[in-house]
Amino acid sequence: MNVSIAEKSEKYDLRVPRYTSYPTSPHFLDTKTDADYRAWLKDLDPTVGVSLYIHIPFCDEMCSFCGCYTKIVKRYDPITEYLNYVHKEIELLAEALPARMTAKHVHWGGGSPTMLKAEDWRSIIDKLKQHFDIDESSELAVELDPRTATEEYVKAISEAGINRASIGVQDFHEEVQVAINRIQPFDVTKNVVGWLKKYGINSINFDLLYGLPFQTTERVLDMVDRAVSLDPKRFAVFGYAHVPWMKSHMKLIPEEALPNAKERWEQMEAAANRLVEHGFVKVGLDHYARPDDEMTVAMKEERLHRNFQGYTVDNNPVMLPLGASSIGQTPTGYIANVQPLHDYKRMIDEGILPIGRTCKLTNEDILRRAVIEQIMCNMKVDLPKMCRDHNVAEDFFAAEEEKLHPLVEDGLCTLENGVLTLPEEGRPLMRMVASIFDTYLQKGQKKHSRAV
């Protein structure tokens, strides 16, 4: 007998990974050398190309909800120095590749890339073009903080080649914004969206959050309506992950004002249903896109993928990290750059690729990753076929199938002849279903966010 939605939200209010990788980042191993990474780079197929992720770890103030690696700066000098090191890292990386390669996707995250000056945008893209093939068909995307963006800045990034912007909205209500130390009136966001469209950047994503202090279902619905009025192409709607034991600034958030598990569930469902009412299509766990958006098309054609940036149409198996704390992958394994800026600079000064952690994939890891990605992207996976495709016995997941039975009884999924399917009712808890196939989970459960 199926339990109610409210009971599910409390029963499965557990800490599980977001599964933007498998194994997940808590299980990467520390390394003192870049030797493994250099070997992985040399093995890359030059004809396949790469994706690049560039991390800008600076903000002018700390948002209390933020889980990113960032530093607060009031002067531009540290940013100038950091960008000089990123330029050097680009050169080191290019020298380690087997040949000059094409970069079809380049993504800037943070921190706040919006802090970069116009001339620095032009400089870093010019540096990339010196070492990688980038043309008009390449997607160059940036995470954008409307509070620090100006029309001059938007014009500059457009002229530099940026063609997609992901805007952090979080919430429009003043009481919520004060509680998370992010004052961002609606008109500020509206102005930036107008500038983006004025200068030809029409591919715009919004990031919204539920589960924030002082949020209510009514406020979440109003937040969605106001955001839709600005006509973005995609939404990502995330549950706030309150992990003050990992991020000490989160202790500034009044815990008594945080929604409980049932309220988080109601906020999540309300946001999802309202976006569907506005004509958006549900994509995976927490993304929403216009029906004609390439992400929606990729999902319907089962070409959707999931990587460290979340859901993506980028099917490239290679994403190379640039900048402190940046993270990436090759067909052989995952890599994460060091986090302390002084270590990052020291390693580059020594001519070492600034890798702090790696994770070499086993054949079993690759199989389990494929299963988890199918669950997260398609809400369906044929386990026997997956086993055949990876040259293991069709009953390889017999133990996992046994563990799925309680979830089947609760209506989170169905399992027939080895085909695992999630109904719409199970979408919000797909991470719980995916976690059944995660053999690393118990080793790092406290490091993950809540399932809802």
Side-chain angles (χ1 to χ4, degrees):
M1 180 183 217
N2 288 357
V3 297
S4 69
I5 289 177
E7 289 171 323
K8 287 178 187 176
S9 67
E10 296 178 4
K11 179 176 181 178
Y12 294 108
D13 185 30
L14 305 175
R15 297 194 177 278
V16 290
R18 294 187 182 275
Y19 293 116
T20 54
S21 71
Y22 182 82
T24 54
S25 61
H27 307 291
F28 297 3
L29 300 178
D30 292 341
T31 181
K32 302 297 182 183
T33 173
D34 65 358
D36 285 343
Y37 184 36
R38 286 184 177 275
W40 299 353
L41 292 173
K42 286 298 182 186
D43 285 340
L44 295 180
D45 181 352
T47 66
V48 172
V50 299
S51 297
L52 301 172
Y53 174 74
I54 305 169
H55 191 73
I56 308 297
F58 298 104
C59 292
D60 57 3
E61 64 178 1
M62 181 65 75
C63 300
S64 302
F65 70 90
C66 182
C68 302
Y69 173 71
T70 189
K71 297 290 184 182
I72 306 305
V73 293
K74 298 301 182 183
R75 299 179 301 111
Y76 200 74
D77 290 350
I79 301 175
T80 298
E81 182 186 23
Y82 176 76
L83 292 175
N84 288 335
Y85 277 93
V86 174
H87 282 225
K88 294 176 183 178
E89 187 186 2
I90 292 171
E91 294 172 355
L92 285 173
L93 177 61
E95 291 170 359
L97 293 172
R100 183 181 176 92
M101 301 181 76
T102 298
K104 298 299 290 184
H105 293 263
V106 185
H107 186 99
W108 281 264
S112 179
T114 318
M115 295 191 72
L116 271 59
K117 293 180 178 178
E119 58 266 28
D120 286 325
W121 272 108
R122 288 189 287 268
S123 177
I124 195 168
I125 291 178
D126 285 346
K127 174 62 70 171
L128 289 170
K129 288 182 176 180
Q130 288 176 21
H131 298 282
F132 296 90
D133 290 329
I134 300 174
D135 58 29
E136 291 76 13
S137 67
S138 299
E139 181 178 88
L140 277 63
V142 61
E143 295 175 8
L144 192 151
D145 184 344
R147 299 173 301 165
T148 54
T150 64
E151 183 172 1
E152 178 186 8
Y153 171 84
V154 172
K155 182 174 184 288
I157 63 173
S158 173
E159 291 174 347
I162 298 297
N163 49 31
R164 179 176 291 279
S166 182
I167 297 179
V169 172
Q170 324 316 339
D171 189 281
F172 287 121
H173 293 82
E174 184 177 4
E175 186 177 22
V176 178
Q177 292 181 353
V178 170
I180 63 175
N181 195 37
R182 187 184 177 96
I183 307 302
Q184 183 179 316
F186 176 80
D187 285 345
V188 169
T189 303
K190 181 179 179 179
N191 287 339
V192 171
V193 171
W195 296 332
L196 288 167
K197 293 181 178 180
K198 176 180 178 180
Y199 293 106
I201 303 177
N202 296 304
S203 296
I204 301 172
N205 313 340
F206 274 11
D207 290 343
L208 305 179
L209 284 177
Y210 64 86
L212 291 171
F214 300 109
Q215 273 187 326
T216 63
T217 300
E218 291 73 21
R219 284 181 169 180
V220 166
L221 288 172
D222 181 63
M223 169 187 72
V224 170
D225 290 343
R226 296 170 80 181
V228 169
S229 74
L230 299 180
D231 195 31
K233 300 295 185 184
R234 301 174 187 170
F235 281 97
V237 184
F238 302 121
Y240 164 59
H242 189 59
V243 288
W245 56 91
M246 293 176 62
K247 299 292 182 179
S248 60
H249 56 267
M250 289 184 177
K251 295 177 182 177
L252 298 173
I253 289 204
E255 292 195 358
E256 69 277 6
L258 289 171
N260 61 31
K262 180 180 178 182
E263 291 166 337
R264 284 173 64 94
W265 183 284
E266 290 173 350
Q267 291 175 14
M268 176 271 298
E269 279 215 318
N273 292 338
R274 185 58 62 91
L275 283 168
V276 170
E277 290 174 12
H278 282 297
F280 286 84
V281 177
K282 293 181 180 180
V283 177
L285 175 65
D286 45 26
H287 282 46
Y288 303 81
R290 296 288 186 187
D292 59 348
D293 187 271
E294 58 182 336
M295 182 171 282
T296 303
V297 175
M299 179 191 67
K300 291 180 178 179
E301 296 178 355
E302 298 190 354
R303 296 186 290 104
L304 190 65
H305 292 277
R306 189 161 171 83
N307 62 20
F308 294 111
Q309 272 72 64
Y311 289 103
T312 179
V313 299
D314 181 7
N315 63 356
N316 199 313
V318 182
M319 184 172 68
L320 304 181
L322 291 163
S325 86
S326 186
I327 197 164
Q329 68 183 62
T330 75
T332 310
Y334 299 112
I335 52 271
N337 277 2
V338 293
Q339 285 194 6
L341 285 175
H342 60 84
D343 284 345
Y344 173 76
K345 296 172 185 176
R346 173 185 55 79
M347 294 177 73
I348 290 177
D349 282 337
E350 295 173 358
I352 301 171
L353 289 167
I355 301 302
R357 296 180 298 139
T358 61
C359 178
K360 186 174 183 179
L361 295 171
T362 66
N363 289 336
E364 182 175 340
D365 289 336
I366 294 170
L367 168 59
R368 290 182 179 274
R369 178 178 66 178
V371 169
I372 289 172
E373 186 176 46
Q374 289 287 306
I375 293 170
M376 297 296 295
C377 291
N378 300 331
M379 297 175 60
K380 182 178 181 179
V381 59
D382 186 331
L383 295 173
K385 181 179 184 302
M386 191 67 73
C387 290
R388 292 194 299 271
D389 291 345
H390 288 78
N391 299 312
V392 300
E394 288 191 13
D395 62 352
F396 182 83
F397 290 115
E400 284 77 10
E401 292 190 25
E402 188 69 26
K403 292 178 183 177
L404 284 168
H405 288 166
L407 278 66
V408 171
E409 292 176 359
D410 280 351
L412 270 65
C413 59
T414 62
L415 185 64
E416 297 181 5
N417 299 318
V419 178
L420 172 63
T421 305
L422 278 70
E424 185 58 36
E425 178 83 351
R427 182 188 297 271
L429 290 169
M430 64 171 62
R431 290 164 59 195
M432 287 301 307
V433 179
S435 72
I436 297 295
F437 298 88
D438 184 348
T439 61
Y440 296 83
L441 181 57
Q442 296 304 319
K443 302 174 186 177
Q445 198 165 32
K446 291 184 179 180
K447 299 183 179 181
H448 302 299
S449 59
R450 292 162 70 175
V452 178

